[in-house]
Amino acid sequence: MSDATLHATAHNPDDFAVQIADQIESFLVAVAEVAKGDEPDSAVPFLLLEVSQLLLAGGRLGAHEDIVPDERYEPDLGPEPDVDELRENLARLLEPIDVYSEVFDPYEPRKSPVPARISDDLTDVITDLRHGMAHYRAGRTTEALWWWQFSYFSNWGTTASATLRALHSVLAHVRLNQPLEELDGLDTDQSMGDETLEFEAGRVMAEEIGEPLGVRPAK
């Protein structure tokens, strides 16, 4: 039986809603804890895990039949909570690897990669999720599920997927000893041979990016 059928709202809405809300709440809490910077050594691996788990919830919402809200117009939730402090804390924590390149839509031809920031992406996702959580906590379960499903397709699903690829790339580069082409602080002395430069790049990357963010290269 498919997930969409198993968890159809007409059959058992409470279980499905609770499970989705729990996964989203877990993500919100986890990212806020990471942003505090108390454990920078585990930041990237932990964010990779949390974004992966969030996308599981998104996949379930995406596979679900269309959720229709109870009311024609969305109730006013008031001003959105400020996320500037969270964004700034994440940007400081992830500074060596915050900026990455992303192709906005892989099915649109001839689109060039655009720069993005993990810190911006995470706070963008959190803004969408908090909006739905406000409905959920107010007892408007169907409204919350509708919003999470709609914004998954329109925004946070794509954004979280891009963030996941960026985090995965950081881990892969370091653990597979594959240096990035550009790295601040890398010594590019022309007297070095290609093999020496490659080795030095991997070493510097591990020290300047890997170790501060809790990523260890393969031995």
Side-chain angles (χ1 to χ4, degrees), residues 2-40:
S2 69
D3 187 74
T5 302
L6 181 63
H7 297 292
T9 51
H11 297 165
N12 203 342
D14 292 337
D15 286 350
F16 179 72
V18 167
Q19 291 164 13
I20 296 297
D22 284 349
Q23 287 182 286
I24 289 174
E25 179 68 16
S26 175
F27 176 82
L28 295 174
V29 171
V31 175
E33 287 299 313
V34 170
K36 292 178 181 178
D38 295 337
E39 298 184 23

Side-chain angles (χ1 to χ4, degrees), residues 69-140:
D70 297 327
E71 304 293 335
R72 182 175 180 183
Y73 299 103
E74 182 183 9
D76 183 14
L77 293 173
E80 298 284 355
D82 184 67
V83 293
D84 286 345
E85 183 178 359
L86 178 65
R87 179 185 292 107
E88 292 168 2
N89 289 341
L90 287 169
R92 281 193 296 269
L93 181 66
L94 301 171
E95 191 275 332
I97 49 96
D98 196 23
V99 179
Y100 69 98
S101 296
E102 169 62 8
V103 177
F104 183 70
D105 190 332
Y107 283 99
E108 290 189 19
R110 296 178 295 281
K111 290 293 184 180
S112 300
V114 296
R117 290 182 179 273
I118 295 175
S119 55
D120 288 343
D121 288 351
L122 288 173
T123 48
D124 189 25
V125 170
I126 283 172
T127 298
D128 275 347
L129 299 180
R130 283 179 174 175
H131 188 93
M133 188 60 72
H135 285 304
Y136 184 78
R137 289 172 176 162
R140 295 186 291 269

Side-chain angles (χ1 to χ4, degrees), residues 179-208:
L180 294 172
E181 293 182 2
E182 297 180 4
L183 180 67
D184 291 340
L186 176 62
D187 184 0
T188 55
D189 189 336
Q190 295 302 311
S191 64
M192 290 185 177
D194 289 342
E195 291 184 1
T196 305
L197 262 177
E198 183 176 352
F199 174 80
E200 183 68 9
R203 182 189 65 79
V204 174
M205 183 177 175
E207 291 180 358
E208 295 190 2

